[in-house]
């Protein structure tokens, strides 16, 4: 999460009820609140706390938009260092 998410201030997290378009579908990490991670739902532009790995999976499964196998194969693979 920390490598793929965007680190933001606690003030930014708490001052936004609805998040900007550029953050939709992304993961934000609150740098000043123990690195808590939030998924920004593209449907309603709100943040959802991801919690522990099992909780994070449930949030993503319930809120994620999904993608077909055909479309996901169009995305180039990368490496995380």
């Amino acid at each position: 999460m920390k490598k793929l998410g965007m680190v933001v201030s606690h003030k930014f997290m708490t001052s936004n009820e609805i998040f900007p378009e550029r953050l939709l579908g992304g993961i934000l990490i609150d740098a000043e609140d123990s690195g808590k991670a939030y998924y920004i739902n593209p449907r309603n532009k709100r943040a959802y706390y991801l919690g522990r790995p099992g909780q994070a999976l449930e949030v993503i499964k319930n809120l994620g938009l999904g993608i077909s196998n055909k479309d996901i194969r169009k995305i180039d693979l990368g490496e995380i260092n």
Side-chain angles (χ1 to χ4, degrees):
M1 276 291 168
K2 289 181 181 178
K3 289 186 180 184
L4 297 176
M6 174 187 266
V7 178
V8 297
S9 69
H10 185 67
K11 181 179 179 181
F12 180 82
M13 282 304 303
T14 57
S15 65
N16 285 288
E17 209 171 293
I18 294 180
F19 289 83
E21 295 282 329
R22 65 184 171 83
L23 300 175
L24 302 184
I27 295 173
L28 299 183
I29 299 168
D30 188 334
E32 299 157 10
D33 190 9
S34 303
K36 290 181 180 174
Y38 298 84
Y39 172 68
I40 309 303
N41 186 353
R43 291 186 177 132
N44 64 9
K45 301 180 181 181
R46 295 183 185 269
Y48 290 82
Y49 177 57
L50 295 177
R52 296 188 173 276
Q55 294 167 306
L57 180 60
E58 285 302 311
V59 169
I60 299 301
K61 280 173 35 179
N62 291 326
L63 299 178
L65 298 178
I67 189 169
S68 69
N69 287 336
K70 179 182 173 187
D71 287 340
I72 202 163
R73 288 186 185 104
K74 295 176 185 177
I75 300 172
D76 289 331
L77 296 176
E79 296 290 325
I80 299 175
N81 296 322

